Amino acid sequence: MPRSTPAKAVWPALRVEDWSDTRDTLHMWSQIIGKLTMAGTPLVNHWWNVTFAISARGLATGAIPVDGRLLDIEFDFVDHELVLRSSDGRRATIALRPRTVADFYAELGHVLGRLDIVVDIEASPNEVDPAIPFAEDTTHHSYDADAVHLFWQQLVQIERVFQFWRAGFAGKSSPVQFFWGSFDLACTRFSGRPAPLHPGGAPNCADWVMEEAYSRECASAGFWPGGAEGTFYAYSYPAPDGYSARPAGPDGAQWDNTLGEFVLPYDVVRESADPDATLLHFLDTTYASAADLAHWDRPLLDVDPHRLDRRLHLDDTTAL
């Protein structure tokens, strides 16, 4: 049963050069909210506790325990506001508009105070260089609401396909999640074996952060808003011998020696006759190369993502 693009799915075009200033500002805002999540939640393997989920309105944290209550925070890219909700019924918003990171950070502090929430964070960004402290960052101040909405709609389509790809794996797998450090959407499969100690080296990020992230052998894929219209990527850690030389589909996918990853331009997917199938081809071929070369137990780990549909169809046929 092939996977094809739903009739109502729209894969939007958005040139990175047209919104890069906004992207970089939103990246810093997301780091502030991500650090609130990190400060309030217990560490879950590979930092899964700190990520954002793609929601029906934007990017959302999970429930953050704060002083006996729960807090959740959502970047609403429909009404363009940051929405904070607490389990005692309180709600507050911050407008998403052209404003500096310093101004956003200061207003967030005032809003948290009105909600009687105190959370201490390391108030400077990670995985970027330079790392300007949030309270001092007047460099990033752009917000193009239309571009942000289009970016979110890109993520909506990618989220659908990544969810389906995740369903084809019965082993340990991450959620489909948005990382605020690297500002990308990713999903990762694990072999079940330990990995060698990661060397670290990310800018303004302690090596132990990457050691935690890559503590188990994995094959990962994701999407990052860089390149022409964005870029899909896939990699394995550790990369097995011969991995970079293996072919990856579809046409347009290639190995990037600088990144040490397979890459596929977003516009290749968007412009194809069947974007869902095109992206799945990239995800499946890069995973298969990593798993086969590293001798993963694929008969145990791989499953049919259509198995529920087939079961229901069989039951309907039996009833007849």
Side-chain angles (χ1 to χ4, degrees), residues 3 11 54 154-169 173-179 184-189 220-224 231-234 264 266 269 275-276 278-284 286 305:
R3 173 73 173 187
W11 290 74
I54 308 303
Q154 287 181 322
L155 297 179
V156 166
Q157 300 307 322
I158 298 164
E159 161 84 9
R160 291 190 305 98
V161 179
F162 278 20
Q163 278 198 22
F164 183 78
W165 183 66
R166 183 178 185 238
F169 192 73
S173 176
S174 77
V176 181
Q177 53 193 344
F178 192 88
F179 285 92
D184 60 345
L185 184 70
C187 184
T188 304
R189 293 174 170 182
S220 186
F223 171 77
W224 175 69
T231 303
F232 294 101
Y233 64 79
L264 175 67
Y266 170 88
V269 174
D276 283 29
T278 300
L279 177 53
L280 280 169
H281 186 36
F282 177 71
L283 301 176
D284 287 339
T286 53

Side-chain angles (χ1 to χ4, degrees), residues 255-315:
W255 178 260
D256 187 302
N257 281 321
T258 301
L259 297 175
E261 301 174 345
F262 287 103
V263 295
L264 175 67
Y266 170 88
D267 52 291
V268 171
V269 174
R270 177 180 62 81
E271 293 173 355
S272 68
D274 190 343
D276 283 29
T278 300
L279 177 53
L280 280 169
H281 186 36
F282 177 71
L283 301 176
D284 287 339
T285 55
T286 53
Y287 159 70
S289 293
D292 289 344
L293 289 171
H295 307 293
W296 290 25
D297 189 351
R298 294 191 63 190
L300 176 68
L301 297 172
D302 297 358
V303 293
D304 179 7
H306 294 285
R307 59 193 181 281
L308 177 60
D309 295 337
R310 296 186 191 281
R311 179 71 261 178
L312 293 175
H313 177 73
L314 179 62
D315 289 348

Side-chain angles (χ1 to χ4, degrees), residues 29 57-59 73-85 91-97 99 104 143:
W29 292 354
R57 298 188 71 89
L59 294 173
I73 306 174
E74 183 172 34
F75 284 96
D76 184 332
F77 297 143
V78 178
D79 291 336
H80 296 284
E81 57 186 13
L82 184 77
V83 182
L84 299 92
R85 296 175 292 256
R91 182 181 186 275
T93 62
I94 296 174
L96 302 180
R97 56 175 174 78
R99 62 196 308 170
F104 177 88
Y143 190 80

Side-chain angles (χ1 to χ4, degrees), residues 160-239:
R160 291 190 305 98
V161 179
F162 278 20
Q163 278 198 22
F164 183 78
W165 183 66
R166 183 178 185 238
F169 192 73
K172 174 181 170 181
S173 176
S174 77
V176 181
Q177 53 193 344
F178 192 88
F179 285 92
W180 45 266
S182 46
F183 208 64
D184 60 345
L185 184 70
C187 184
T188 304
R189 293 174 170 182
F190 296 84
S191 69
R193 300 190 293 247
L197 190 68
H198 194 277
N204 292 296
C205 186
D207 288 348
W208 58 264
V209 174
M210 293 302 169
E211 292 169 7
E212 168 64 33
Y214 293 101
S215 60
R216 300 292 186 272
E217 185 179 46
C218 66
S220 186
F223 171 77
W224 175 69
E229 294 186 11
T231 303
F232 294 101
Y233 64 79
Y235 63 88
S236 179
Y237 183 78

Side-chain angles (χ1 to χ4, degrees), residues 66 68-71 85-91 115-117:
V66 180
R69 293 173 289 164
L70 294 179
L71 169 71
R85 296 175 292 256
S86 60
S87 58
D88 56 3
R90 302 194 211 186
R91 182 181 186 275
L115 295 174
D116 294 324
I117 291 173

